[in-house]
Amino acid sequence: MSEAMASNVRTPLGCLTALGELNVLGVLIYVVVTEQPHADSDATLSQCWQVVWAMRAYIGYFLFALVLNTCGLVKAHVSKFAVVIAVLGLLAIALLIWAVCVLASGLAAAGCAPRAYEALSGAVCFHVVEMCCLAPLEVGSEHVHQATARARESSEEGSRDGYLALPEDGESTDESEV
């Protein structure tokens, strides 16, 4: 797992993803610090605080992603934390669902700072793009890289697993003849 993280952070797509996460993190911190919840009614104020708490949760999520990217960059071994990383990945999906619900219910309650909704919406959109588009591309390229490396190793060792020629028309496919 540590090797995959290190190689993903060093690819252009991995660097772009890490920079995007850092950018979203900075925007969320700025909005949480500068925008204080205020509203006309208690119900609206409660909704505003939910938006703030969702942004704070996303700050935690992106800080965790920043730590993982840093560990990958310095090639730190994080394999012993695989279970924690997997659990936090599941919590990230729950965070996404909760943030969408907060945004959906918050659209009906006017009175909160629009910048807070925009920042949370940006974090949710980036999270969706990262989860559905960027992460599969990173994992897919890592899988291709590992498969290529295994094929090269086996062909260098002289193993029959690396490459077998297909029989020509009319030739026998018996393993003993190969």
Side-chain angles (χ1 to χ4, degrees):
M1 183 166 95
S2 296
E3 292 174 23
M5 284 176 49
S7 64
N8 280 341
V9 173
R10 296 176 198 276
T11 64
L13 184 60
C15 288
L16 184 66
T17 303
L19 286 174
E21 290 170 346
L22 192 59
N23 185 34
V24 172
L25 176 64
V27 168
L28 287 172
I29 290 172
Y30 174 77
V31 172
V32 165
V33 169
T34 60
E35 298 291 330
Q36 294 300 318
H38 60 303
D40 300 333
S41 68
D42 288 339
T44 306
L45 186 60
S46 173
Q47 180 59 39
C48 293
W49 274 111
Q50 287 182 10
V51 171
V52 170
W53 278 107
M55 287 191 301
R56 289 177 180 170
Y58 262 112
I59 288 172
Y61 167 74
F62 286 116
L63 281 173
F64 180 72
L66 180 65
V67 168
L68 282 181
N69 288 333
T70 304
C71 289
L73 193 61
V74 299
K75 294 185 178 180
H77 295 286
V78 293
S79 297
K80 58 186 168 193
F81 302 112
V83 173
V84 174
I85 293 169
V87 167
L88 288 173
L90 292 174
L91 288 175
I93 294 170
L95 170 62
L96 176 65
I97 294 167
W98 176 59
V100 167
C101 291
V102 166
L103 285 171
S105 66
L107 292 177
C112 291
R115 236 191 291 183
Y117 285 109
E118 292 168 1
L120 184 57
S121 296
V124 167
C125 289
F126 184 81
H127 191 177
V128 168
V129 168
E130 180 184 35
M131 186 172 58
C132 296
C133 301
L134 299 177
L137 287 174
E138 288 175 359
V139 172
S141 67
E142 178 61 27
H143 175 71
V144 168
H145 176 69
Q146 288 177 351
T148 304
R150 281 194 303 268
R152 284 185 184 149
E153 285 176 5
S154 61
S155 66
E156 288 172 0
E157 294 172 359
S159 171
R160 293 183 52 213
D161 296 334
Y163 172 76
L164 290 176
L166 295 174
E168 296 292 326
D169 289 334
E171 288 185 17
S172 173
T173 58
D174 186 14
E175 280 289 320
S176 63
E177 293 178 14
V178 178

